[in-house]
Amino acid sequence: MSTVLAAPVAKNDTTVLLVASMGCAMTVIDTNIVGVVLPTIARGLDATFADMEYMEWVIGAYVLCFSSLLLPAGSLADRFGRRRIFLFGIALFALASLACGAATTILMLNIARALQGVGSAFLLAPALAIIGHTFREPQARGRAWAIWGGMMGITMVLAPLAGGIISAYFGWRWAFYINIPICLLLAMAVLRTIEESRNPAAGKPDVHGISLFIAAMFSLTWALILAPEHGWSSPEVMGRFIASAWFFLFFALVERYKAQPMLDLRLFRSLPFIGAVLSMFTYAATAQVMTSLLPLMLQNVEGKTALASGVGMLPFALAMLFFPMVARWMAQRMAARWILAAGLGLVGVGNLIIAGGVLAQWPWLVITGMAVLGSGGGILNGETQKAIMGTVPHERAGMASGISTTARFSGILQGFALLGAILAGHTRHVLTSTIQASNLPVRDDFITQVVAGDVQRALALWPEKQAQTLSSLIRHSYACGFSLMLVCAALFAFFIALVVVFTVRDRAGSQPNER
């Protein structure tokens, strides 16, 4: 690996770590804040009934473009320079945030969110590659990822509170405008502290692989979003699932025969690498995704305001902040597979506790479950990243960062889409059944707005007396939907914990983390 200096900088490893970690945190802040303010966006844009089916894309469009472009972004960072791509991502993210805040329709917001997702990919992948390139020694790298995990934990503490404050006092548009000054400060810090670096052996951009991967991810996500409304076996949904499978197959074939592929499929011959990637994906799909889903639960089941929901996320967020330090202590005494399995087990238990608390309407049990869920997530946050980055050579740091972040944000994307589909489908089913049992007419516009999360406008469609009855039915339906969703997430976390135990091993056959 050669280092190419683009401009004189005052390099300090700790400063580089903090600046690169702040770049990673920007993407997490945006996702979490938008998750809190999402129920207010439709009202702020005065969305019509026809617009409601596109509300899921406010998050889906962002994470779709984000996850689809992480591998290409890592590859391009290796080729053209990590600092250069990092600065490009910061600039694009800031411009897209401005467009999001200025949007006047759901369609404009979704297009701007897709562009913001592109900027996030070109911000996050080089930031992680910079960390991997800077910290090469095992002890230094372990410390770096522990600090990185702590910063992500701090972000998860602040983001829900910031989302609640912004929604309550400034309006949803400032959930995006707040990114602009932060991006400006971050760009200045990058120019002053980070050296340029690249992989001189990197080949030309893999246009075919990039195109096929984006098409596969887009088709899969579109199918998951359409499934609750059209049915899992409908031609529209099955056609997109089949298209996604073909695109992934063609992607694998293209990458297999490329001299310098965007994704080196030979990495997946290693069971420890597969186990680490699976643990990252599952952590994202069953724990990190809850930063977007749990605020919706607090608002729609417990009736909290956006600000109160941000405060209500503190048990989860504080545990996410504290437990990366616990994971570092565990790494000195336990093999990596047991740390990852323990984290996934806690995630599963936490989801089950929350599910029970929601059904029983016991807020104290929900709080306990959030703390347990955050504990597992905090253990996994830095350890999954360290496990993946430690299984590839230093010269493939860009590819490693692309794979790890693709696993993370593909997990968020697919977790949000699939768990959201379970939530929407079961909520729709329970609400329809209870309305019919109450001898009230079933209105598609009412149910669609409820499923989209706009309860206030949905109840406004009815006379006051009927609206009071329907309000309790809505909360019951949401409780059933969220409980089923959380149980499914828990079962998946338990299953992958078992897989990790039997796949993750040290490359030398020993357990270096054990004393």
Side-chain angles (χ1 to χ4, degrees):
M1 175 70 65
S2 65
T3 300
V4 181
L5 295 180
V9 294
K11 181 181 176 183
N12 177 281
D13 286 353
T14 301
T15 306
V16 169
L17 173 62
L18 294 176
V19 172
S21 296
M22 185 59 201
C24 301
M26 281 293 301
T27 62
V28 177
I29 289 172
D30 185 83
T31 304
N32 293 357
I33 289 179
V34 173
V36 173
V37 304
L38 186 61
T40 67
I41 290 178
R43 294 192 296 274
L45 291 176
D46 196 25
T48 64
F49 169 66
D51 293 327
M52 296 307 294
E53 63 179 300
Y54 300 108
M55 280 301 298
E56 281 193 77
W57 287 99
V58 173
I59 291 179
Y62 171 82
V63 185
L64 171 62
C65 293
F66 197 172
S67 61
S68 298
L69 288 169
L70 280 169
L71 278 177
S75 178
L76 292 172
D78 278 347
R79 176 175 173 78
F80 295 110
R82 293 161 186 142
R83 189 176 79 154
R84 180 179 299 171
I85 297 298
F86 194 16
L87 289 168
F88 169 76
I90 294 170
L92 184 57
F93 187 85
L95 291 173
S97 296
L98 177 62
C100 288
T104 56
T105 66
I106 294 292
L107 178 59
M108 290 177 61
L109 178 59
N110 286 341
I111 293 172
R113 284 285 285 169
L115 184 63
Q116 195 180 38
V118 176
S120 295
F122 285 91
L123 191 160
L124 182 62
L128 288 173
I130 287 167
I131 296 173
H133 171 73
T134 303
F135 299 91
R136 303 190 187 189
E137 296 299 324
Q139 185 175 0
R141 175 169 289 190
R143 175 179 172 273
W145 289 124
I147 295 173
W148 179 89
M151 289 193 65
M152 296 305 101
I154 293 172
T155 300
M156 291 185 182
V157 171
L158 297 179
L161 292 173
I165 293 171
I166 288 170
S167 179
Y169 298 108
F170 300 100
W172 66 267
R173 295 183 187 278
W174 279 96
F176 303 106
Y177 288 149
I178 193 66
N179 294 329
I180 298 171
I182 298 175
C183 284
L184 179 60
L185 293 174
L186 180 60
M188 294 172 61
V190 170
L191 290 171
R192 290 180 61 87
T193 62
I194 295 180
E195 295 177 336
E196 184 61 284
S197 64
R198 59 173 60 92
N199 177 12
K204 295 181 179 179
D206 183 2
V207 176
H208 298 96
I210 291 171
S211 301
L212 288 169
F213 187 77
I214 292 173
M217 291 294 294
F218 187 86
S219 300
L220 177 59
T221 305
W222 198 356
L224 291 171
I225 290 177
L226 289 178
E229 182 179 355
H230 295 272
W232 291 92
S233 60
S234 66
E236 296 89 348
V237 174
M238 291 304 299
R240 287 167 177 79
F241 276 132
I242 293 171
S244 175
W246 278 107
F247 282 130
F248 275 124
L249 176 61
F250 289 141
F251 170 75
L253 292 174
V254 167
E255 295 303 287
R256 181 178 180 181
Y257 294 104
K258 283 274 187 180
Q260 293 178 315
M262 178 181 71
L263 175 62
D264 189 351
L265 296 176
R266 291 174 297 180
L267 292 172
F268 290 92
R269 297 174 183 174
S270 166
L271 283 179
F273 178 79
I274 293 173
V277 171
L278 281 175
S279 64
M280 172 69 87
F281 179 89
T282 307
Y283 153 64
T286 59
Q288 194 171 358
V289 72
M290 295 304 171
T291 59
S292 296
L293 293 171
L294 290 180
L296 299 179
M297 182 197 74
L298 294 174
Q299 292 178 63
N300 294 329
V301 177
E302 298 188 6
K304 295 181 182 293
T305 64
L307 180 57
S309 297
V311 175
M313 289 291 292
L314 280 177
F316 173 83
L318 290 173
M320 285 288 294
L321 171 64
F322 176 72
F323 271 80
M325 292 182 284
V326 175
R328 187 179 178 186
W329 175 84
M330 294 171 67
Q332 299 174 354
R333 294 161 174 80
M334 299 172 63
R337 68 178 186 273
W338 297 115
I339 300 174
L340 297 177
L344 290 169
L346 284 173
V347 166
V349 171
N351 278 319
L352 286 181
I353 294 174
I354 298 172
V358 169
L359 270 184
Q361 298 183 6
W362 291 343
W364 63 268
L365 195 58
V366 173
I367 292 172
T368 302
M370 282 187 174
V372 175
L373 176 62
S375 301
I379 289 173
L380 294 169
N381 194 22
E383 289 301 309
T384 49
Q385 188 75 27
K386 184 170 67 175
I388 293 174
M389 297 294 283
T391 58
V392 298
H394 297 303
E395 64 270 14
R396 307 311 296 271
M399 179 176 289
S401 72
I403 292 171
S404 64
T405 47
T406 296
R408 177 189 294 264
F409 287 96
S410 293
I412 294 175
L413 171 64
Q414 305 307 331
F416 182 82
L418 184 56
L419 295 177
I422 294 170
L423 167 63
H426 197 58
T427 300
R428 182 186 295 272
H429 170 73
V430 173
L431 184 58
T432 302
S433 301
T434 53
I435 289 175
Q436 290 174 340
S438 301
N439 296 319
L440 293 172
V442 177
R443 297 180 55 174
D444 288 338
D445 55 348
F446 168 74
I447 293 176
T448 299
Q449 287 184 330
V450 169
V451 171
D454 195 353
V455 176
Q456 292 183 12
R457 293 183 65 183
L459 291 175
L461 298 171
W462 297 85
E464 183 177 353
K465 184 176 180 180
Q466 291 178 325
Q468 291 177 352
T469 301
L470 288 168
S471 179
S472 62
L473 296 182
I474 288 172
R475 291 193 179 185
H476 170 71
S477 301
Y478 268 123
C480 293
F482 273 107
S483 295
L484 179 62
M485 179 198 79
L486 292 163
V487 168
C488 291
L491 293 177
F492 184 62
F494 290 143
F495 173 72
I496 298 301
L498 290 175
V499 173
V500 166
V501 169
F502 292 103
T503 57
V504 175
R505 297 287 192 279
D506 179 56
R507 285 177 294 176
S510 61
Q511 297 173 345
N513 290 338
E514 291 184 341
R515 286 182 170 179

